[in-house]
Amino acid sequence: MSVFTKQDLQPLDLVLWLLPGLGQRRLNKLTAHWGQDPKTLLEAARHLPGLTAKTRDLIEIALHDPWRLPFADRLEAHLEWQTQPGHWLLPLRSLPLLLQELPDPPWLLCLKGTPELLEGPNLAVVGSRRLSPEGRHLAFQWSHWLSWQGMNLVSGLARGVDGQAHQGALQAVTEGATGQTLAVLAHGMDYLYPREHEGLAAQICERGGALMTEYPLGSPPLAGQFPKRNRIITGLSLGTLVVEATLKSGSLVSARLAMEQGREVMAIPGSVRRQQSAGCHQLIRQGAALVTSPEEVLQELSQPLRACLESSTAEKSEANLPERLQSIYCLITDIPISLDQLLEDSGLEAAKCMQLLQELELEGCVEQLPGGWCRST
């Protein structure tokens, strides 16, 4: 579990982020070989091939006194931005392992809101900007239901599926759900695209969610940055749900990234006559899980969810319960689990499992949900 503190940021983190001529690709190669200490990386960068003389001179200045750099005013602007409540500059070493282990992780994230949400459990919800009425309904309702099950919904604040996913989660939060929503932006925090989602972005932060971006202040929303940020949406998440997508939809790029990252990929089927379903059908042919209900989404995520929640189940094993109840209670988290999955995990017969669940319910430790699901209280 990451511990987020603003004191973890060093000025040299910002130098590496803003240094002209270095770039994300070279920075990734440096971190893969030398680790994440910014001074060590700057010293190693001296010897990189292909750098201009100007960039090498800037590296030398940064190693001696970063405040003498010609872009020192940008360092100050970012440090000033972080002094505001709810504003965070999170270097790579502060980010969850899911992001650190990506082949091309973000060196630094600007985050506005609640950084603890990065720990998850997170689900990416993506799809077309031009939604059918059914797609609009599904994106909103499934996100609403999943938020009630404790999942954080991650998307890109775009029109279409993204906006509906954020709004569905926010509605659930307003009603008392614990799952939140996170938006990954493709520009600096001093921009907001699309403009009609300014109110939505404000609500996300006001209600306990988070906005984040790998781009510095002053970075406008350029077309090439949108597909690049998708790796963060999928990398931050245990799985990716594609609601609707044409064959040319950018959400297919997100699905491919999720597969390459080893994440679960799920797609909702639709009418063969509708272009918005063609991309989902292609993903299903390529191996994505076909899901027809939000309950099936949780079933597909059962394995990664268990891994994500190992620490919480370890803590629960110390609860003051008889040993016969501990054996099954340690398998139940605040993320709903189906009775079938519980039977498989516990190895118990159905009658015995139901008896123990009823005892746990009487102890106030578990609540049983409609449809044969349960979760810890």
Side-chain angles (χ1 to χ4, degrees), residues 232-254:
I232 300 177
I233 294 175
T234 57
L236 192 60
S237 306
L238 300 176
T240 293
L241 172 66
V242 185
V243 178
E244 278 189 345
T246 66
L247 290 174
K248 295 183 178 180
S249 172
S251 55
L252 299 189
V253 175
S254 298

Side-chain angles (χ1 to χ4, degrees), residues 285-296:
R285 287 195 298 271
Q286 293 172 346
L290 184 157
V291 288
T292 59
S293 71
E295 291 89 345
E296 291 179 4

Side-chain angles (χ1 to χ4, degrees), residues 133-189:
E134 182 183 9
R136 182 178 300 274
H137 173 80
L138 291 173
F140 184 95
Q141 292 297 336
W142 286 31
S143 297
H144 179 272
W145 188 89
L146 288 162
S147 180
W148 268 107
Q149 314 315 311
M151 296 296 298
N152 300 324
L153 287 304
V154 185
S155 202
L157 203 70
R159 302 178 182 95
V161 166
D162 293 23
Q164 291 301 307
H166 293 309
Q167 290 175 24
L170 284 174
Q171 180 63 39
V173 169
T174 301
E175 297 164 357
T178 57
Q180 272 288 351
T181 189
L182 303 91
V184 182
L185 310 178
H187 46 72
M189 278 291 186

Side-chain angles (χ1 to χ4, degrees), residues 199-346:
L200 178 58
Q203 289 180 44
I204 289 173
C205 294
E206 290 166 1
R207 299 184 191 178
L211 308 177
M212 72 197 74
T213 180
E214 66 176 322
Y215 294 101
L217 298 173
S219 302
L222 303 178
Q225 294 169 181
F226 287 86
K228 185 180 177 185
R229 63 88 190 266
N230 291 348
R231 79 191 195 287
I232 300 177
I233 294 175
T234 57
L236 192 60
S237 306
L238 300 176
T240 293
L241 172 66
V242 185
V243 178
E244 278 189 345
T246 66
L247 290 174
K248 295 183 178 180
S249 172
S251 55
L252 299 189
V253 175
S254 298
R256 176 180 56 79
L257 288 169
M259 290 178 180
E260 292 173 355
Q261 293 164 350
R263 309 294 195 260
E264 302 292 331
V265 177
M266 297 152 281
I268 302 176
S271 170
V272 296
R273 297 187 178 92
R274 200 166 57 217
Q275 288 185 346
Q276 291 100 321
S277 298
C280 289
H281 295 160
Q282 176 173 290
L283 288 173
I284 292 167
R285 287 195 298 271
Q286 293 172 346
L290 184 157
V291 288
T292 59
S293 71
E295 291 89 345
E296 291 179 4
V297 172
L298 281 188
Q299 289 173 348
E300 291 296 328
L301 292 176
S302 59
Q303 293 293 336
L305 274 173
R306 279 206 297 275
C308 177
L309 296 168
E310 275 181 354
S311 59
S312 64
T313 56
E315 292 172 4
K316 288 170 58 175
S317 66
E318 300 176 3
N320 187 23
L321 289 171
E323 187 174 343
R324 71 179 189 283
L325 296 181
Q326 281 285 4
S327 62
I328 188 170
Y329 181 57
C330 69
L331 300 173
I332 304 171
T333 70
D334 56 357
I335 302 297
I337 184 172
S338 68
L339 179 58
D340 289 342
Q341 187 67 56
L342 197 56
L343 289 171
E344 180 181 335
D345 292 348
S346 66

Side-chain angles (χ1 to χ4, degrees), residues 105-118:
W107 172 249
L108 195 148
L109 282 182
C110 277
L111 185 143
K112 184 178 180 181
T114 308
E116 288 77 14
L117 297 178
L118 295 174

